[in-house]
Short mmCIF file of all heavy atoms in Angstrom, two decimals:
data_model
loop_
_atom_site.label_atom_id
_atom_site.label_comp_id
_atom_site.label_asym_id
_atom_site.label_seq_id
_atom_site.Cartn_x
_atom_site.Cartn_y
_atom_site.Cartn_z
N LEU A 1 -2.54 -24.29 0.88
CA LEU A 1 -2.08 -23.61 2.09
C LEU A 1 -0.56 -23.61 2.11
O LEU A 1 0.07 -24.66 1.90
CB LEU A 1 -2.62 -24.34 3.33
CG LEU A 1 -2.15 -23.80 4.70
CD1 LEU A 1 -2.77 -22.44 4.97
CD2 LEU A 1 -2.52 -24.79 5.81
N ILE A 2 0.03 -22.43 2.32
CA ILE A 2 1.46 -22.31 2.57
C ILE A 2 1.59 -21.77 3.99
O ILE A 2 1.09 -20.69 4.30
CB ILE A 2 2.16 -21.36 1.58
CG1 ILE A 2 1.97 -21.87 0.14
CG2 ILE A 2 3.64 -21.23 1.91
CD1 ILE A 2 2.53 -20.93 -0.92
N CYS A 3 2.25 -22.53 4.83
CA CYS A 3 2.21 -22.23 6.26
C CYS A 3 3.62 -22.34 6.84
O CYS A 3 4.45 -23.10 6.36
CB CYS A 3 1.28 -23.24 6.94
SG CYS A 3 0.68 -22.76 8.54
N GLY A 4 3.89 -21.57 7.90
CA GLY A 4 5.18 -21.66 8.57
C GLY A 4 5.49 -20.42 9.37
O GLY A 4 4.92 -19.35 9.14
N ALA A 5 6.39 -20.56 10.32
CA ALA A 5 6.77 -19.45 11.17
C ALA A 5 7.52 -18.39 10.37
O ALA A 5 8.02 -18.65 9.27
CB ALA A 5 7.63 -19.96 12.33
N THR A 6 7.63 -17.20 10.95
CA THR A 6 8.37 -16.12 10.31
C THR A 6 9.82 -16.54 10.06
O THR A 6 10.47 -17.10 10.93
CB THR A 6 8.34 -14.87 11.20
OG1 THR A 6 6.98 -14.47 11.40
CG2 THR A 6 9.12 -13.73 10.57
N GLY A 7 10.31 -16.27 8.84
CA GLY A 7 11.70 -16.55 8.51
C GLY A 7 11.99 -17.96 8.07
O GLY A 7 13.16 -18.32 7.89
N THR A 8 10.98 -18.78 7.84
CA THR A 8 11.22 -20.18 7.46
C THR A 8 11.19 -20.39 5.95
O THR A 8 11.49 -21.49 5.48
CB THR A 8 10.18 -21.11 8.12
OG1 THR A 8 8.86 -20.69 7.74
CG2 THR A 8 10.31 -21.08 9.63
N GLY A 9 10.81 -19.37 5.18
CA GLY A 9 10.88 -19.47 3.73
C GLY A 9 9.56 -19.55 3.00
O GLY A 9 9.54 -19.79 1.79
N LYS A 10 8.44 -19.32 3.69
CA LYS A 10 7.16 -19.50 3.02
C LYS A 10 6.93 -18.45 1.92
O LYS A 10 6.30 -18.75 0.90
CB LYS A 10 6.00 -19.51 4.01
CG LYS A 10 5.79 -18.26 4.83
CD LYS A 10 4.61 -18.45 5.78
CE LYS A 10 4.33 -17.19 6.60
NZ LYS A 10 5.43 -16.89 7.53
N THR A 11 7.46 -17.22 2.11
CA THR A 11 7.29 -16.20 1.08
C THR A 11 8.09 -16.54 -0.17
O THR A 11 7.66 -16.27 -1.30
CB THR A 11 7.69 -14.81 1.61
OG1 THR A 11 6.90 -14.51 2.77
CG2 THR A 11 7.45 -13.74 0.57
N VAL A 12 9.27 -17.13 0.00
CA VAL A 12 10.06 -17.56 -1.15
C VAL A 12 9.35 -18.70 -1.88
O VAL A 12 9.35 -18.76 -3.12
CB VAL A 12 11.48 -17.98 -0.71
CG1 VAL A 12 12.28 -18.50 -1.90
CG2 VAL A 12 12.20 -16.81 -0.05
N THR A 13 8.72 -19.60 -1.14
CA THR A 13 7.94 -20.67 -1.77
C THR A 13 6.79 -20.08 -2.57
O THR A 13 6.52 -20.50 -3.70
CB THR A 13 7.40 -21.62 -0.68
OG1 THR A 13 8.49 -22.20 0.02
CG2 THR A 13 6.54 -22.71 -1.29
N LEU A 14 6.10 -19.12 -2.00
CA LEU A 14 5.01 -18.43 -2.71
C LEU A 14 5.55 -17.84 -4.01
O LEU A 14 4.94 -17.98 -5.08
CB LEU A 14 4.43 -17.35 -1.81
CG LEU A 14 3.29 -16.46 -2.33
CD1 LEU A 14 2.54 -15.86 -1.15
CD2 LEU A 14 3.79 -15.33 -3.21
N ARG A 15 6.70 -17.15 -3.93
CA ARG A 15 7.29 -16.50 -5.09
C ARG A 15 7.57 -17.51 -6.21
O ARG A 15 7.22 -17.28 -7.37
CB ARG A 15 8.59 -15.81 -4.67
CG ARG A 15 9.37 -15.18 -5.82
CD ARG A 15 10.76 -14.79 -5.35
NE ARG A 15 10.70 -13.76 -4.34
CZ ARG A 15 10.71 -12.46 -4.60
NH1 ARG A 15 10.79 -12.03 -5.85
NH2 ARG A 15 10.67 -11.57 -3.62
N TYR A 16 8.18 -18.63 -5.85
CA TYR A 16 8.52 -19.63 -6.86
C TYR A 16 7.26 -20.21 -7.51
O TYR A 16 7.20 -20.41 -8.73
CB TYR A 16 9.36 -20.75 -6.23
CG TYR A 16 9.58 -21.91 -7.16
CD1 TYR A 16 10.42 -21.78 -8.27
CD2 TYR A 16 8.92 -23.12 -6.96
CE1 TYR A 16 10.60 -22.85 -9.15
CE2 TYR A 16 9.11 -24.18 -7.83
CZ TYR A 16 9.95 -24.04 -8.92
OH TYR A 16 10.13 -25.08 -9.79
N LEU A 17 6.25 -20.48 -6.70
CA LEU A 17 5.02 -21.04 -7.23
C LEU A 17 4.34 -20.07 -8.20
O LEU A 17 3.83 -20.46 -9.26
CB LEU A 17 4.08 -21.40 -6.07
CG LEU A 17 2.87 -22.28 -6.37
CD1 LEU A 17 3.25 -23.52 -7.14
CD2 LEU A 17 2.17 -22.65 -5.06
N VAL A 18 4.35 -18.78 -7.86
CA VAL A 18 3.79 -17.75 -8.74
C VAL A 18 4.55 -17.70 -10.06
O VAL A 18 3.96 -17.60 -11.15
CB VAL A 18 3.80 -16.38 -8.04
CG1 VAL A 18 3.49 -15.25 -9.02
CG2 VAL A 18 2.80 -16.37 -6.89
N GLU A 19 5.88 -17.77 -9.99
CA GLU A 19 6.69 -17.77 -11.20
C GLU A 19 6.33 -18.94 -12.12
O GLU A 19 6.17 -18.78 -13.34
CB GLU A 19 8.17 -17.87 -10.84
CG GLU A 19 8.75 -16.67 -10.13
CD GLU A 19 10.18 -16.90 -9.69
OE1 GLU A 19 10.73 -18.01 -9.91
OE2 GLU A 19 10.77 -15.97 -9.10
N GLN A 20 6.18 -20.11 -11.52
CA GLN A 20 5.88 -21.29 -12.32
C GLN A 20 4.50 -21.23 -12.96
O GLN A 20 4.31 -21.69 -14.10
CB GLN A 20 6.01 -22.55 -11.45
CG GLN A 20 7.44 -22.87 -11.05
CD GLN A 20 8.34 -23.08 -12.25
OE1 GLN A 20 8.04 -23.89 -13.12
NE2 GLN A 20 9.44 -22.34 -12.32
N LEU A 21 3.55 -20.67 -12.28
CA LEU A 21 2.22 -20.49 -12.87
C LEU A 21 2.27 -19.50 -14.02
O LEU A 21 1.60 -19.68 -15.05
CB LEU A 21 1.23 -20.04 -11.80
CG LEU A 21 0.86 -21.10 -10.76
CD1 LEU A 21 0.08 -20.48 -9.61
CD2 LEU A 21 0.07 -22.23 -11.39
N ASN A 22 3.08 -18.46 -13.88
CA ASN A 22 3.22 -17.50 -14.97
C ASN A 22 3.85 -18.16 -16.19
O ASN A 22 3.46 -17.88 -17.33
CB ASN A 22 4.06 -16.31 -14.52
CG ASN A 22 4.17 -15.25 -15.60
OD1 ASN A 22 5.16 -15.18 -16.33
ND2 ASN A 22 3.14 -14.44 -15.73
N ARG A 23 4.83 -19.03 -15.99
CA ARG A 23 5.44 -19.75 -17.11
C ARG A 23 4.40 -20.60 -17.84
O ARG A 23 4.57 -20.91 -19.03
CB ARG A 23 6.58 -20.64 -16.62
CG ARG A 23 7.82 -19.88 -16.13
CD ARG A 23 8.89 -20.87 -15.72
NE ARG A 23 10.03 -20.24 -15.10
CZ ARG A 23 11.07 -19.71 -15.75
NH1 ARG A 23 11.07 -19.74 -17.08
NH2 ARG A 23 12.09 -19.18 -15.10
N ARG A 24 3.34 -20.96 -17.17
CA ARG A 24 2.27 -21.77 -17.77
C ARG A 24 1.10 -20.92 -18.22
O ARG A 24 0.02 -21.43 -18.51
CB ARG A 24 1.82 -22.84 -16.75
CG ARG A 24 2.87 -23.92 -16.55
CD ARG A 24 2.74 -24.61 -15.20
NE ARG A 24 3.72 -25.69 -15.07
CZ ARG A 24 5.02 -25.49 -14.80
NH1 ARG A 24 5.47 -24.26 -14.61
NH2 ARG A 24 5.86 -26.50 -14.70
N ASN A 25 1.33 -19.60 -18.27
CA ASN A 25 0.32 -18.65 -18.76
C ASN A 25 -0.94 -18.64 -17.91
O ASN A 25 -2.05 -18.40 -18.41
CB ASN A 25 -0.03 -18.92 -20.23
CG ASN A 25 -0.61 -17.69 -20.92
OD1 ASN A 25 -0.16 -16.57 -20.68
ND2 ASN A 25 -1.62 -17.88 -21.76
N ILE A 26 -0.79 -18.90 -16.61
CA ILE A 26 -1.91 -18.83 -15.68
C ILE A 26 -1.77 -17.55 -14.86
O ILE A 26 -0.74 -17.31 -14.23
CB ILE A 26 -1.92 -20.07 -14.75
CG1 ILE A 26 -2.13 -21.34 -15.58
CG2 ILE A 26 -3.01 -19.94 -13.68
CD1 ILE A 26 -1.93 -22.62 -14.79
N ALA A 27 -2.80 -16.73 -14.89
CA ALA A 27 -2.76 -15.45 -14.18
C ALA A 27 -2.79 -15.65 -12.67
O ALA A 27 -3.41 -16.61 -12.18
CB ALA A 27 -3.93 -14.56 -14.61
N THR A 28 -2.13 -14.76 -11.96
CA THR A 28 -2.13 -14.83 -10.50
C THR A 28 -2.37 -13.44 -9.93
O THR A 28 -1.99 -12.43 -10.53
CB THR A 28 -0.78 -15.35 -9.96
OG1 THR A 28 0.29 -14.58 -10.51
CG2 THR A 28 -0.59 -16.81 -10.31
N LEU A 29 -2.99 -13.40 -8.78
CA LEU A 29 -3.12 -12.17 -7.97
C LEU A 29 -2.54 -12.48 -6.61
O LEU A 29 -3.00 -13.39 -5.91
CB LEU A 29 -4.58 -11.74 -7.85
CG LEU A 29 -4.82 -10.58 -6.86
CD1 LEU A 29 -4.13 -9.31 -7.33
CD2 LEU A 29 -6.31 -10.32 -6.65
N VAL A 30 -1.51 -11.73 -6.23
CA VAL A 30 -0.79 -11.95 -4.98
C VAL A 30 -0.95 -10.72 -4.10
O VAL A 30 -0.67 -9.60 -4.54
CB VAL A 30 0.71 -12.21 -5.24
CG1 VAL A 30 1.42 -12.59 -3.95
CG2 VAL A 30 0.90 -13.27 -6.31
N THR A 31 -1.41 -10.91 -2.89
CA THR A 31 -1.47 -9.79 -1.95
C THR A 31 -0.21 -9.82 -1.09
O THR A 31 0.24 -10.88 -0.65
CB THR A 31 -2.72 -9.86 -1.05
OG1 THR A 31 -2.67 -11.03 -0.24
CG2 THR A 31 -3.98 -9.87 -1.90
N ASP A 32 0.37 -8.65 -0.89
CA ASP A 32 1.69 -8.54 -0.27
C ASP A 32 1.63 -7.53 0.86
O ASP A 32 1.70 -6.32 0.63
CB ASP A 32 2.70 -8.12 -1.34
CG ASP A 32 4.12 -7.97 -0.81
OD1 ASP A 32 4.38 -8.46 0.31
OD2 ASP A 32 4.95 -7.38 -1.51
N LEU A 33 1.51 -8.03 2.09
CA LEU A 33 1.38 -7.11 3.24
C LEU A 33 2.73 -6.57 3.70
O LEU A 33 2.77 -5.56 4.39
CB LEU A 33 0.70 -7.83 4.41
CG LEU A 33 -0.79 -7.56 4.56
CD1 LEU A 33 -1.34 -8.29 5.77
CD2 LEU A 33 -1.08 -6.08 4.70
N LYS A 34 3.81 -7.22 3.35
CA LYS A 34 5.12 -6.75 3.79
C LYS A 34 5.81 -5.90 2.73
O LYS A 34 6.85 -5.29 3.00
CB LYS A 34 6.00 -7.95 4.16
CG LYS A 34 5.45 -8.76 5.34
CD LYS A 34 6.33 -9.93 5.70
CE LYS A 34 6.21 -11.06 4.69
NZ LYS A 34 4.90 -11.72 4.70
N GLY A 35 5.30 -5.87 1.53
CA GLY A 35 5.87 -5.04 0.48
C GLY A 35 7.20 -5.55 -0.04
O GLY A 35 8.02 -4.75 -0.51
N ASP A 36 7.44 -6.87 -0.03
CA ASP A 36 8.75 -7.39 -0.43
C ASP A 36 8.71 -8.32 -1.64
O ASP A 36 9.66 -9.06 -1.88
CB ASP A 36 9.42 -8.10 0.75
CG ASP A 36 8.57 -9.22 1.33
OD1 ASP A 36 7.48 -9.49 0.78
OD2 ASP A 36 8.99 -9.81 2.34
N LEU A 37 7.62 -8.30 -2.42
CA LEU A 37 7.51 -9.21 -3.56
C LEU A 37 7.63 -8.53 -4.92
O LEU A 37 7.55 -9.21 -5.94
CB LEU A 37 6.19 -9.98 -3.49
CG LEU A 37 6.12 -11.10 -2.45
CD1 LEU A 37 4.70 -11.62 -2.32
CD2 LEU A 37 7.06 -12.24 -2.82
N SER A 38 7.84 -7.23 -4.95
CA SER A 38 7.90 -6.53 -6.24
C SER A 38 9.09 -6.95 -7.06
O SER A 38 9.12 -6.76 -8.29
CB SER A 38 7.93 -5.00 -6.02
OG SER A 38 9.02 -4.64 -5.20
#
């Protein structure tokens, strides 16, 4: 669970965690309702 109010950094945390999983050759599927993760 990644949780927090708007503007507290949870999307950046999600981004970093996805990057690290990719470095370990683990596939990820991320849904992006705000359109800001491309």
Side-chain angles (χ1 to χ4, degrees):
L1 176 69
I2 301 175
C3 199
T6 300
T8 57
K10 62 181 182 293
T11 302
V12 177
T13 299
L14 179 158
R15 176 192 295 271
Y16 172 71
L17 193 50
V18 168
E19 292 175 359
Q20 290 301 306
L21 289 170
N22 183 262
R23 291 182 187 275
R24 289 156 177 77
N25 203 38
I26 297 170
T28 53
L29 172 64
V30 186
T31 64
D32 180 15
L33 262 182
K34 297 180 286 292
D36 57 3
L37 285 170
S38 57

